Amino acid sequence: RASPDVSPRVRARASFSSRETCLVSMSASVSASWRAAPVARGETQTRSRARLGLFDARRAARRSRRSAARATSAADKSVTRDGSDRLSLDNVRASLIRQEDSIIFGLIERAQYKRNDAVYEPGAVDVPCYHPDGKRASMLEFMLRESEQLGGKIRRYTSPDEHAFYPESLPMLVIGSMEYPCPLHAAAESININDRIMKMYIENLLPALCEAGDDNNYGSTGLADVANLQTISKRIHYGKFVAESKFQARPEEFSELIKKQDANGLMALLTFQAVEDRVVRRVTNKAATYGQDISEDLPEQLVLTLSEGENLEYKVAPETIGELYREWIMPMTKDVQVEYLLRRLD
């Protein structure tokens, strides 16, 4: 430390020189200690690498366990199989009869509302659904697409007896796929006439079934329409199973016509007018039974023919549903049968 008698400039020089000497000595000390401890540094690095290696090994083990769990889960899902016999050819007739019940009840449900044409006109109802050209879709299309999004996630449309109206928009599954014991030829997958079914339902079936006009029940109308379109589509496309059953019963006769690609001959071979008449009578009688109000008292006659029930008031005229079957549902079912058989030997 400089004495008080020394000038300020001299004291400043002395202070700077002292600090510089201190820094130099500290630097030399650190350098010397670093050069003197290479072994310690090597040991520290080795321990660090060991810890990193252990961490990597544990991480790899966790990844391996997760991959194994995913593989096991995927394997478990992939082997899921349909344990029922509902798609068996032996059950074709029983399945068709059950589908009749669903269709009749669905049509009776739809008939309580008016036509409500706004549900089917694109842009008539402001729904969040648009075509690629930017135009708004109809309310029915919106509701049907939304229904197929839900059904598609839970493997509804992986079943051979279900056909989506918008198959190009189906989502990925959220549950494992299922393996079905399908007796159909592989060509069956490419047959889908839902465009024709939609046109028939809106332009022919609804005008015959519903009162003209608008009652503003668009939501209830759309829900009934979606259910009806799906059940009618299933019934019509079930013609593939009917065709396969008939082919296996008479393979020689059908094979000869198939090789010639004789669609008219196949249609003639498939048509049994007496059987179709029985189907129409059965559907008409079911509509007469389901379409009347049943009281808690047991009626004197459990089965009423149409002539005996002329004074009854029906929710839907039974003859109307019978004619819808005769004019539209059965002919379109036979169209599916012919289309399937034409490809049966591919």
Side-chain angles (χ1 to χ4, degrees):
R1 179 177 301 178
S3 66
D5 298 331
V6 178
S7 66
R9 182 177 299 177
V10 173
R11 283 201 301 270
R13 274 200 211 100
S15 176
F16 176 80
S17 177
S18 176
R19 286 197 300 269
E20 187 178 37
T21 302
C22 181
L23 289 173
V24 169
S25 66
M26 287 175 61
S27 176
S29 175
V30 170
S31 178
S33 64
W34 181 257
R35 287 194 301 270
V39 176
R41 287 202 311 276
E43 290 176 353
T44 301
Q45 291 172 356
T46 301
R47 286 196 297 270
S48 298
R49 282 196 292 268
R51 284 196 296 270
L52 288 173
L54 180 61
F55 174 77
D56 289 340
R58 288 174 177 172
R59 183 167 56 183
R62 286 196 297 269
R63 287 176 177 172
S64 177
R65 286 195 296 271
R66 286 196 295 266
S67 299
R70 285 194 295 267
T72 302
S73 176
D76 291 342
K77 292 178 181 178
S78 65
V79 298
T80 302
R81 291 181 177 84
D82 182 4
S84 70
D85 60 351
R86 63 186 183 86
L87 297 178
S88 166
L89 295 181
D90 295 334
N91 292 331
V92 168
R93 185 175 184 277
S95 179
L96 291 174
I97 292 176
R98 285 195 304 271
Q99 291 172 44
E100 287 174 4
D101 298 342
S102 300
I103 291 173
I104 293 169
F105 278 118
L107 294 178
I108 292 173
E109 179 71 15
R110 177 62 183 88
Q112 67 180 306
Y113 306 109
K114 291 187 178 180
R115 189 93 53 80
N116 293 331
D117 291 333
V119 174
Y120 316 104
E121 296 174 4
V125 181
D126 292 339
V127 293
C129 182
Y130 298 86
H131 293 152
D133 60 2
K135 295 182 179 178
R136 194 186 298 270
S138 69
M139 184 174 180
L140 176 61
E141 180 178 342
F142 166 68
M143 297 181 71
L144 193 52
R145 284 183 179 275
E146 290 295 305
S147 175
E148 291 187 350
Q149 286 296 303
L150 175 60
K153 292 177 181 178
I154 54 176
R155 67 189 177 209
R156 174 174 186 171
Y157 298 104
T158 63
S159 178
D161 60 340
E162 294 283 356
H163 298 74
F165 282 80
Y166 305 101
E168 72 285 351
S169 301
L170 290 178
M172 295 179 64
L173 295 176
V174 298
I175 58 176
S177 59
M178 180 174 283
E179 205 173 279
Y180 296 92
C182 181
L184 301 179
H185 187 274
E189 295 182 10
S190 62
I191 300 173
N192 186 329
I193 65 167
N194 275 337
D195 289 345
R196 289 179 56 195
I197 293 173
M198 175 75 79
K199 182 179 176 66
M200 176 272 294
Y201 181 82
I202 295 175
E203 297 182 1
N204 303 107
L205 194 151
L206 287 178
L209 183 70
C210 301
E211 178 185 351
D214 192 315
D215 57 19
N216 298 316
N217 286 293
Y218 297 160
S220 299
T221 295
L223 288 173
D225 287 332
V226 168
N228 286 337
L229 284 167
Q230 290 172 340
T231 52
I232 291 173
S233 171
K234 183 173 183 177
R235 169 61 176 82
I236 289 174
H237 286 101
Y238 222 79
K240 301 175 190 179
F241 292 86
V242 177
E244 180 63 30
S245 179
K246 292 180 178 180
F247 176 85
Q248 293 187 14
R250 304 160 68 183
E252 294 82 7
E253 295 178 71
F254 280 104
S255 295
E256 183 179 353
L257 295 172
I258 293 171
K259 291 174 182 177
K260 297 177 181 178
Q261 291 292 284
D262 186 354
N264 292 331
L266 288 171
M267 181 64 77
L269 193 57
L270 290 168
T271 301
F272 296 93
Q273 193 59 49
V275 174
E276 294 181 10
D277 291 341
R278 287 201 301 270
V279 171
V280 172
R281 285 198 302 271
R282 183 175 67 237
V283 169
T284 303
N285 287 334
K286 283 184 179 181
T289 302
Y290 303 157
Q292 59 181 291
D293 292 324
I294 305 297
S295 67
E296 66 277 7
D297 298 323
L298 189 67
E300 295 180 1
Q301 293 178 332
L302 292 177
V303 180
L304 295 176
T305 62
L306 290 177
S307 60
E308 292 172 333
E310 288 177 350
N311 296 325
L312 294 175
E313 182 176 349
Y314 297 104
K315 298 169 184 173
V316 178
E319 302 92 332
T320 299
I321 296 181
E323 285 305 308
L324 290 174
Y325 246 79
R326 184 190 299 278
E327 294 296 325
W328 299 106
I329 294 179
M330 288 197 297
M332 294 181 79
T333 303
K334 289 196 294 183
D335 288 345
V336 169
Q337 293 181 48
V338 170
E339 191 170 349
Y340 172 79
L341 288 171
L342 287 173
R343 308 181 193 182
R344 177 60 179 76
L345 299 181
D346 288 357

